[in-house]
Amino acid sequence: MTSRDLILGEAELDDEENDDSFDEETGEVKERPNGTNGKFQDSSEEEESDDDEEAARAIREGFIVDEDEEEVEGRERRKHRKKRRRAEREREEEVLDEEDLDLIGENDPAFERRPPSEPKFKRLKRGHKEDRQRAASRGLDEMFSDDEEGADDQPEADRLGRFRPERRELPDEFDDFIEEDELTDDDEKARRQEEMEIARPRGQAYTGANAEASGYSEETLETMMAAFGNGEEYRWALDAEDDMEEHELEDQQQLELKDVFEHSQLAERFLTDDDNLIRWADEPERFQLARKPYKHVLLTDEQFKEEALWIANLMLPKKRLQSDLVEPFQKAIGKVLEFFITDEVEVPFVFQHRKDYLIHAAKIPSSPDPYNPDAPEYVVSAEKLLIQNDLWQVLDLDLKFRALIEKRNTLQRTYDKLNEESGVQDAIFETLLPKAETVEELQDIQDYLHFQHASHLKDIQAMNGSTTATQRRPGSQKAQWERVRNGKVYNMVRAYGISADAFAENALAESGRRRYDTEDPSERPDDMADSENMIDPPEFATGEKVLQMARKMFAEEICMSPKMKKVMRRAYYLTGLIECFRTEKGLRRIDEQHPYYEFKYLRNQQMSDIAQRPDMYLRMLKAEDEGLIEVKIKLENWERTKKSLVASLVSDNFSEIADAWNDERRKVLDLALGKLNLIMTKNVKEHLKSQCQDEIVSLCREEFSRKLDQAPFKPPGEMLGSAPRVLALSNGKGEREDAVCWAFLEDDGRVLENGKFDDLRRDDKSKEGFRELVERRRPDVIAVSGFTVFADDLKKDCMRLVEDNDLRGAEFDDPDTGQEISRKLDVVMVNDEVARLYFTSDRAAQEHPGLAPLTRYCIALAKYMINPMKEYASLGRDIVSISFHPSQQLVPQEKLIMQLETAMVDMVNLCGVDINEAVGDSYTANLLPYVCGLGPRKATSVLKAINANGGVVSTRDELVGDPEENKLPVVGPRVWNNCASFVYIEYDAQEPTSDYLDHTRVHPEDYELGRKMAADALELDEEDVKAEIDEAGPAAIVRKLIKDDAQDKVNDLVLEEYAEQLERNFNQRKRATLETIRAELQQPYEELRRNFALLSTDEIFTMLTGETRETLCNGMIVPINIRRVLRNEFKLEGVMDSGVTAYVEGNNLPIEQDENITAIYTQRQTVQAKIIKMDYENMTAELSLTEEDMARPYRKHFDHMRDEWDEEQEARDKESLRETSKATGRAQRVIKHPLFRNFNRTQTEEYLGSQARGDAVIRPSSNGPDHIAITWKVADNVYQHIDVLELDKENEFSVGRTLKIGGRYTYSDLDELIVNHIKAMARKVDEMTLHEKFQGGSRADTERWLTTYTEANPKRSTYAFCVDPKHPGYFFLCFKAGHHAQLQTWSVKVIPQAFELRGNAYPDMRALCNGFKLLFGNLQNGKRR
């Protein structure tokens, strides 16, 4: 038997260790006994182990610990252990140990002394040592085992496996890695006997207090008891010992979630300690998360006023308000900040219940009307100052202002420390810090402070004990500036006649008026530099070195001047121009079909142009990261700007000396501007990047809001908001073998029936089944969708069946005639973006385990029509998988998620959530995290608390607890204030405690207003109102209004006067709130969303083909696969890669009609054709194959101005590429194979981007006519390009009869190569990615996971695989052999039918894992030798 055999056997044994045992006779599965094989365990250890295992299992199953239940169970366990210990101690006290018996036996001649036994302490010490050795001697096979979860909870014998012999040459953690020696029976017995001795409690060998056991008579024993006592006087010491042992045992055995689960798992389910703090804090969850970095920042009253003005000034340019509305706008911002910061209410609350503060209402006197004496004296003009999107922006800017204040406070503390410790006084700093309005300006001030006072800061840090962090090499740049500033050379810097700050002041001055003059010295610069006052040996021993260093020093002071940076930043933002220059790599990679060609030669783009095309700028930066272009920024009038700066620096004197000094000053300015341009270019590019990302996520938010702003599909005759009964059908990909799956859902989302139809176009049985199903179930609408253009054919088939069989929906009352009528069923093509994410998900498998994936897809389609908002909410973070903008992948995912969440919050709070429905329905519960004041953490605690209170909420007030009804608080008062009006309870007229206002958008703080309006509408006086309330409670008035069906009477109320009275008497602005109350009293929670949005032609085309009008349009040359060659009609019928049907008529063929078309074109042949006419509605296209049409390549039109495109550079590059092409002498090649595409490398990767893993493209090779290239998709954005050498070719254009890859693999044709090479490797990639050790993230993510795992499990080692994106076809094998070991990485190569690791081939993943263990073990063994 080889060591490899042992490895394989070991792996099989590891897999079996976690399985339950199997009874071969009965076939039943039996649980493993909870204990080690052959090891002694006393009862106390077994019970405690059971308790621990039960606790761990309970935590795993529920993942949520009920602390109250744990506390009760813990007390019971402690009480039980204490009672058991007391009983054991009493039994031990009744037994005499060996020393007592020997002492008594000295007086008894018949007594025989027992032979001395080995001391217990020695035996105990040896036992513990062996335990430590066994614990430390962990084999690599177990460390890198494929079954690591829960290994710490297994008994030691199960963990180590049945065979764990020692390998002496591999000590420490690498013991037992390969093979083990079995112990002999005698050794095993001796070891077990020793373990039993160690495990035995004291005195256990002498059980029973009787004379026979001790060898003495009863009289002798009584004498002993009289002499030594029964030990009761020492019971207090024993009790104290018990208590101490009990506390130690509790500390050892108390399990927490973090002891069982990894931190990442807890964070995923919001169960970390930080999550619990957020969950129980009485503050809106989103506020806690957003303000967490600035929780310690407290704003003063002055800073609060400054913030309001700061935010208003930032928002005003986009608002474009009239001048008379600027001041009200600023006040509105201040009021909103007060709501956010002081009242701690979220955006939906402010928008819904503080709407009056977002509107500026002005009374405009009206001219008297002699014909209408009762006309009002004035007209109220209302202007919206802030909309809901503006409130989210204010909230975001509030966080940015807090960051600004935090940085400002930090700088102020640093300066105060400088002043206190070193007496530093800096007028520039003191002037600029309070005026800084951006983080960039504060950063400039910080750089200035650290440059100007570096030595003092270093001294302060040294005094604070942080010298190690601030020590610099003597030759470092900052140290050099300090030496210059403190030496003679600085006299030369002063001789320039103007300071850097004064120069910046001159540059900032308007109209070119200088505020500071430049003074010229009496000596020339070179003469002054040679003087003794300037020369400072040994470093500056000559005048030339002095002058050179003085220039650098003055230039550095100019660069570090905050005011000078402000000058340059302003110039770049006002007159900056952005240009793109292609690199050598981009010259060849970016052709006219490449998406980056749009800006390959782009020039002179102003900032306003970039603001209009944020997506283009982000793609420019992406292309720069890929090394294809270089993005540069220059000033539009650089020479004029430089001339202006020179004028602000030089002196106005006319003399030879003045000219010499002005030349020196120009040299300094050139040095400074060179560095400033680099700094500004980088800063401006990053700032523009952030602004463009914000614009893209804002556009994504708008699109998501549009998708959310649609009510359920309205059944005929029903009110808007009513849910339909839906019959959903899909034919999947629409291939011939695919059946049509269907599902029927009730309006509450329940799946009542599902099934399949074979063919609704040709099969009569299927047609009849469809008719019978529709007539039996009577759906309100038929929903259709699919993955290809064949879904459109299914829709047409359904419409034909509805028309032929006159299939109608449920009857409803005609609003005009009052008669019952019915309408023919609508057949609707449904947006399937949610269904595509759902039908293959784990959630779908859990909710509908017995249904086919396509049936689950139909269920998701139907649910989308029933309630689109719930479907989007159910996606959670997967919402980013939906496309809202073509460039959304260019923005950070977290930034996108945050913006999309705000859109969901707006819509959920607009519609409200039925809190009792959320308790019983998981789909509705998905909406709770978006309710105002809540979040994912608080939503789970809300549901848990409601279930603890009985599972039903009767009133909104119950959410803060009701001691009389024994109702626990669900949320705190502050969170309740946020969420109360956005969760509602259905009104039940039969239930006396039901409050109608609890089913409305009215906040409980305004209930009294609603009741007052109801009383006024019913014209009840105070006595009537009091009588109603005394009889039926505060809700009686509104109940009476509803019972009398008198809601329309509230329209007669004059709310304007009532609002004025509230503002005058109570200082409350409630005009808009009163309008809301009036609307809610008439129709509670009225549906305010738009009608269900039907897909447009372009949306259907994109959904079914994946193309748009930009990606597939007239003039493009595309490949088509010929499906039919119609000889009689003399035309071709084919299909594009997108599924669009393609037709080539006879007049568009490059042959004459008398030629044999079948001899030239064959079925399944792929040809390149030019689109002449696209029909997006029917998803068909007319194409041409004529030489004339094909000779005109497609070029996308770009709308550039005259000076915005470098046509000369473009022409030179095209000529260069033509010359290169002529030099190679290669003709265009066409291969008759369905996978052939005449693509280059870039086009191939773009084409495969939307294809499945393992798909391939055969394309021409740049290596010559005897080569072809095959590109296949390894993973997302990972493509392997394989060079194939052709041998034995008939001619230059034919495919070789022998195809060789890398000199190792030989194939006879392309089909064999695709199946046995490409597909074989794709299967290996699938095997790798489906393995439990595979990590889907990057190498850095995998290494972080390994580090986290070993930190959580210090005694374990682990390994994982991940994709190597830089080397397609390779995977990283990352491993960490213990907590303190270094991370290591090996490469695994995928080859046909195997994996290759360090030159060894392994047929499958198990063999690869075992081979890795063997290689690593041998490597470690060799190191130790």
Side-chain angles (χ1 to χ4, degrees), residues 1-14 141 163-165 167 176-182 1410 1413-1414:
M1 178 180 292
T2 65
S3 58
R4 181 178 178 81
D5 295 328
L6 284 174
I7 284 291
L8 292 174
E10 191 75 9
E12 293 173 354
L13 182 61
D14 287 344
D141 192 46
F163 304 107
R164 286 283 188 245
R167 231 180 120 139
D176 312 333
F177 181 50
I178 304 296
E179 55 190 357
E180 300 165 333
D181 300 326
E182 296 186 8
N1410 287 332
K1413 299 171 188 176
L1414 179 63

Side-chain angles (χ1 to χ4, degrees), residues 67 397 565 595:
E67 297 178 357
L397 290 174
K565 287 183 178 179

